């Protein structure tokens, strides 16, 4: 399993933070994570079941099945398509 102490430290940090306000944790490119990534996520989910915490992970479209199999429970898939050029232009304009 991923380092138990590291997982406990992250869980403790997220628990303390979520007591002050709801927490959104975004993990990009989960398909690049090793075997310890889903283990660590399972650890967090087991420890933080009653906390106002939402974890969102991004995965390359060609690796979704692999990652969902590793993560198993507590996952929902939301497929997002590309933005149309007009939306990209609007985002760029607002920056």
């Amino acid at each position: 399993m991923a380092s138990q102490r590291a997982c406990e430290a992250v869980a403790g940090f997220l628990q303390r933070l979520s007591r002050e306000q709801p927490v959104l944790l975004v993990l990009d490119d989960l398909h690049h994570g090793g075997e310890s990534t889903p283990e660590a996520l399972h650890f967090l989910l087991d420890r933080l079941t009653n906390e106002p915490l939402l974890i969102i992970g991004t995965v390359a479209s060609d690796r979704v099945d692999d990652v969902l199999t590793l993560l198993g429970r507590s996952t929902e898939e939301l497929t997002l398509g590309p933005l149309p050029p007009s939306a990209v232009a609007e985002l760029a304009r607002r920056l």
Side-chain angles (χ1 to χ4, degrees):
M1 179 173 165
S3 169
Q4 182 82 18
R5 291 172 66 180
C7 288
E8 288 173 0
V10 171
F13 170 74
L14 291 172
Q15 187 173 46
R16 286 188 302 279
L17 190 60
S18 67
R19 287 181 183 155
E20 297 174 19
Q21 62 188 3
V23 174
L24 170 63
L25 176 63
V26 179
L27 304 171
D28 194 23
D29 293 335
L30 284 175
H31 53 280
H32 289 305
E35 290 181 16
S36 62
T37 300
E39 291 174 357
L41 287 172
H42 286 295
F43 182 92
L44 292 176
L45 292 171
D46 290 342
R47 295 291 193 282
L48 303 170
T49 56
N50 296 318
E51 307 302 332
L53 170 69
L54 174 63
I55 300 174
I56 296 177
T58 66
V59 179
S61 59
D62 62 335
R63 298 290 307 278
V64 170
D65 291 337
D66 298 337
V67 173
L68 288 179
T69 298
L70 289 173
L71 292 176
R73 61 182 168 71
S74 301
T75 61
E76 291 185 33
E77 179 181 352
L78 175 62
T79 302
L80 302 176
L83 289 174
S86 60
V88 173
E90 178 67 17
L91 283 173
R93 186 185 65 74
R94 290 182 183 208
L95 291 177

